Amino acid sequence: MNIVVCVKQVPDTWSEKRLDPEDSTLDREATDPVMNEMDEYAVEEALRLQETHGGEVTILCMGPDSATQTVRKALSMGGDRAVHVVDDALHGSDAVATSLVLARAIETIDAVDLVLLGSESSDARMSVVPAMLAERLGRAQLTFAKEVTVDGPTVTIKRLTDDGYQVVEGTTPAVVSVVEKINEPRYPSFKGIMSAKKKPVQTYAVADLGIDPGEVGLSGAWTSVESFELAPPRESGRVVTDDGNGADRLAEKLVEFLASKKFV
Amino acid sequence: MAEVLILVEHADGEVKKVTGELLTLAARVGEPSAVFVGDGFDTARATLAAHGAVKVYVADDPELSAYLVAPVAELLSALVTEVSPAAVLLASSAAGKEIAARLAVKSGSGVLTDATDLSADSGTVTAEQQVFGGSTVVRSAVTRGTPVVTVRPNSVAAVQATGAAERVEVSVELTATATAARITDRVVEDRAERPELSEAAIVVSGGRGVGSGENFTVIEALADALGAAVGASRAATDAGWYPHQHQVGQTGKTVSPQLYVAAGISGAIQHRAGMQTSKTIVAINKDPDAPIFELVDFGVVGDLHQVVPALTEKVRARKGGP
């Protein structure tokens, strides 16, 4: 079974994110780049499926030159090869354009049975690209999976819902997005890190994928930021500490506060 | 005036609160029309009318609900072609965002997710979003196609309005792509009769400080006294103390309730990303240096295992309940 795993490089969640005043895109210079955490679970799931079902695992990444770091990180976990779409024209691409680029890149890879990806990126947090990819590829959308089972051509997932889960079934080729309760991603081994350096990485510019550079990036985006500003900081409130009178006294102050706000 | 389509969120006709909020926002942009998929329109009708729905497009073919997300996107896409709406609004639920995603690709339209407000100025729809855990407010517009916008529940107050809620039957011939992912079972793990997390006006969340799954009964008791939903930090769901679907924060739900009570939650940036836009924030934590206290309107430095049960008693007493 051949699997493509899409990975995205994002700012470290711990770093303070801000928008670039010039073009209203995420200021990536200001943050430490890492692989989107949820995508690590997708890589792990792909490697586990490969262990059971065989086939090749291809890492696919759209991102600037510096995203090579994320490509190598994924390859050091495992996988056979990578495709990196890198092009200055991609800067500022919206989700619709991203899904176009990923779909065209997937079409360059032979006999893909499964496309795996994280169910959201930690920077944009839209959770739309997996559904857009399924739409563009005309494949089964099996998203928000907390469990994936493959039996011949049948792919079954447990999709996380508000009060439990749905069992959703499709046939390969399918697009599967995963949530972080699905597995525990492995750490790259020393051997993995060394061998990742020798694994083939195919790079494409958008024109190589038959996409007009004007369709992607900031100018090709179907949405535009009109303005942005920092939200006013929250006014610091009142903090009370146990003054020796114990929990009952604290609870009394708390309930008085809630009553003053009409919550009780 | 152009129609604005909103997708009704409901369970067998029991309309979710966010639907009223969508109708309220739709009225700012044009004439609100609801799209109702599934059974239960007769139950839903009064609520939709009371929030100003002029028309309700009803698609009750069970096939639409037998497959994941894609059929509803095809229905909406067909409606977009037919009525040329000024915008399509959906709730920012997992499915709502995915339907929006597919609709955007299908109809060649830009999509904005997690809007917290919406305005229309000379035909341009502008959505406000709070990004990076609420630290930045962004105003964006869709520049191509029909604006497709998902709206975060609890962002605006639903207003009462009078609409005819006239039923208009609609159907769509599903493509092979739309029927590629069949829903074979729906499993409810969470049978507690509490408000749904993303819609609740009050959320009480527990974190690492709760200490065990059994101890979550303390959190649940306060939630029940306040009529609140129960949330959990990632530390608590990773430890298996509480089900994943209750997780608040990055990789979990983003909530924006009137009141958020964080008990035993330190307030790491990942958690804050999911609750920072709550209107009023209260925290109980024994560590006075916990970052959650930077956000609070009212904070208590103390042991949640004592403070929360005491608070529950006092809330019950004030409410005159048992």
Side-chain angles (χ1 to χ4, degrees):
Chain A
M1 188 170 65
N2 295 324
I3 303 173
V4 175
V5 192
C6 303
V7 297
K8 182 182 185 186
Q9 183 159 294
V10 297
D12 189 351
T13 353
W14 293 96
S15 55
E16 218 49 63
K17 291 185 273 280
R18 63 186 188 95
L19 292 176
D20 187 331
E22 290 291 309
D23 65 359
S24 303
T25 64
L26 180 62
D27 186 350
R28 292 179 193 274
E29 302 277 301
T31 57
D32 297 324
V34 294
M35 191 200 307
N36 178 44
E37 190 200 345
M38 207 86 98
D39 299 344
E40 291 187 28
Y41 295 82
V43 173
E44 177 63 35
E45 199 59 24
L47 298 176
R48 290 183 188 196
L49 288 167
Q50 184 186 37
E51 281 157 16
T52 312
H53 302 279
E56 282 215 320
V57 171
T58 304
I59 305 296
L60 170 60
C61 181
M62 166 182 142
D65 264 335
S66 64
T68 308
Q69 203 182 316
T70 286
V71 172
R72 292 291 171 198
K73 164 87 190 281
L75 287 173
S76 67
M77 289 173 72
D80 302 285
R81 47 193 286 273
V83 172
H84 185 182
V85 186
V86 50
D87 197 318
D88 289 343
L90 289 170
H91 174 76
S93 292
D94 61 3
V96 172
T98 301
S99 69
L100 173 67
V101 172
L102 293 176
R104 291 286 168 80
I106 289 163
E107 284 161 359
T108 67
I109 302 165
D110 283 338
V112 175
D113 297 300
L114 222 51
V115 177
L116 275 173
L117 58 177
S119 56
E120 81 175 38
S121 65
S122 63
D123 52 356
R125 299 197 64 201
M126 291 180 74
S127 288
V128 294
V129 168
M132 286 178 175
L133 257 188
E135 174 69 37
R136 288 194 184 276
L137 296 168
R139 303 304 183 193
Q141 177 195 322
L142 305 170
T143 46
F144 290 95
K146 61 171 189 167
E147 198 178 302
V148 181
T149 334
V150 179
D151 183 8
T154 307
V155 187
T156 309
I157 65 152
K158 286 184 180 171
R159 171 182 167 92
L160 191 72
T161 58
D162 285 335
D163 57 5
Y165 62 89
Q166 295 173 330
V167 180
V168 191
E169 196 180 281
T171 52
T172 54
V175 177
V176 176
S177 82
V178 304
V179 299
E180 86 274 21
K181 295 296 187 278
I182 194 167
N183 58 41
E184 194 55 55
R186 66 196 67 188
Y187 287 102
S189 64
F190 180 69
K191 189 164 159 267
I193 293 166
M194 295 314 287
S195 66
K197 292 178 180 162
K198 299 190 204 87
K199 290 177 182 171
V201 179
Q202 169 79 53
T203 58
Y204 289 118
V206 289
D208 299 334
L209 300 173
I211 298 169
D212 176 350
E215 284 183 73
V216 298
L218 210 49
S219 59
W222 296 356
T223 55
S224 80
V225 173
E226 314 272 280
S227 66
F228 72 87
E229 70 223 8
L230 292 181
R234 290 188 82 94
E235 298 210 0
S236 51
R238 184 166 161 227
V239 177
V240 295
T241 307
D242 194 339
D243 56 2
N245 291 322
D248 197 66
R249 185 82 196 95
L250 295 176
E252 186 57 39
K253 286 179 181 169
L254 196 40
V255 84
E256 279 164 16
F257 171 78
L258 294 179
S260 74
K261 296 274 185 183
K262 308 221 185 318
F263 290 119
V264 292
Chain B
M1 193 159 53
E3 289 180 48
V4 177
L5 300 179
I6 70 110
L7 181 64
V8 177
E9 291 251 332
H10 71 99
D12 297 322
E14 294 295 334
V15 176
K16 296 196 179 169
K17 201 174 76 182
V18 67
T19 300
E21 298 162 9
L22 294 175
L23 285 166
T24 297
L25 289 173
R28 294 188 194 166
V29 179
E31 185 182 281
S33 294
V35 180
F36 186 96
V37 179
D39 290 329
F41 170 70
D42 292 337
T43 310
R45 183 174 197 160
T47 311
L48 299 175
H51 289 100
V54 176
K55 270 185 222 162
V56 185
Y57 296 99
V58 179
D60 53 10
D61 179 354
E63 282 288 281
L64 285 165
S65 310
Y67 306 93
L68 191 64
V69 171
V72 181
E74 291 203 343
L75 173 76
L76 288 176
S77 180
L79 278 170
V80 164
T81 308
E82 202 180 302
V83 307
S84 304
V88 182
L89 310 183
L90 306 94
S92 267
S93 57
K97 293 210 270 190
E98 292 187 325
I99 293 165
R102 298 189 73 124
L103 174 62
V105 170
K106 260 181 198 306
S107 64
S109 300
V111 58
L112 297 165
T113 58
D114 288 305
T116 51
D117 206 357
L118 206 67
S119 58
D121 185 22
S122 54
T124 306
V125 179
T126 306
E128 191 172 289
Q129 295 158 300
Q130 306 203 9
V131 302
F132 307 150
S135 68
T136 307
V137 181
V138 179
R139 272 168 296 275
S140 302
V142 167
T143 51
R144 198 182 129 153
T146 305
V148 178
V149 183
T150 76
V151 179
R152 190 176 283 172
N154 274 332
S155 296
V156 294
V159 299
Q160 300 289 315
T162 311
E166 177 207 343
R167 178 178 182 140
V168 181
E169 225 57 53
V170 285
S171 63
V172 65
E173 194 75 36
L174 295 179
T175 65
T177 304
T179 56
R182 177 182 282 276
I183 301 168
T184 59
D185 201 4
R186 291 176 164 87
V187 179
V188 176
E189 292 178 313
D190 191 4
R191 297 188 181 278
E193 305 247 325
R194 296 195 181 95
E196 200 179 288
L197 186 53
S198 46
E199 293 222 316
I202 304 180
V203 174
V204 181
S205 287
R208 196 186 300 277
V210 176
S212 71
E214 295 77 57
N215 287 349
F216 256 86
T217 51
V218 172
I219 304 296
E220 290 177 335
L222 176 58
D224 291 342
L226 287 166
V230 175
S233 72
R234 181 160 175 189
T237 62
D238 274 352
W241 298 345
Y242 219 68
H244 184 194
Q245 53 267 26
H246 292 266
Q247 186 174 311
V248 171
Q250 189 113 51
T251 75
K253 293 259 167 61
T254 299
V255 298
S256 207
Q258 297 298 320
L259 171 65
Y260 188 85
V261 181
I265 294 175
S266 65
I269 197 163
Q270 284 89 343
H271 187 74
R272 283 152 56 174
M275 46 67 73
Q276 203 156 347
T277 56
S278 305
K279 278 70 173 181
T280 299
I281 298 174
V282 165
I284 301 142
N285 201 300
K286 63 181 185 208
D287 175 10
D289 298 323
I292 192 82
F293 287 122
E294 293 163 18
L295 296 181
V296 297
D297 297 283
F298 198 92
V300 169
V301 180
D303 182 0
L304 78 91
H305 300 285
Q306 292 174 21
V307 177
V308 172
L311 176 62
T312 304
E313 286 307 315
K314 288 178 193 298
V315 170
R316 282 186 189 145
R318 294 225 179 197
K319 286 195 166 179

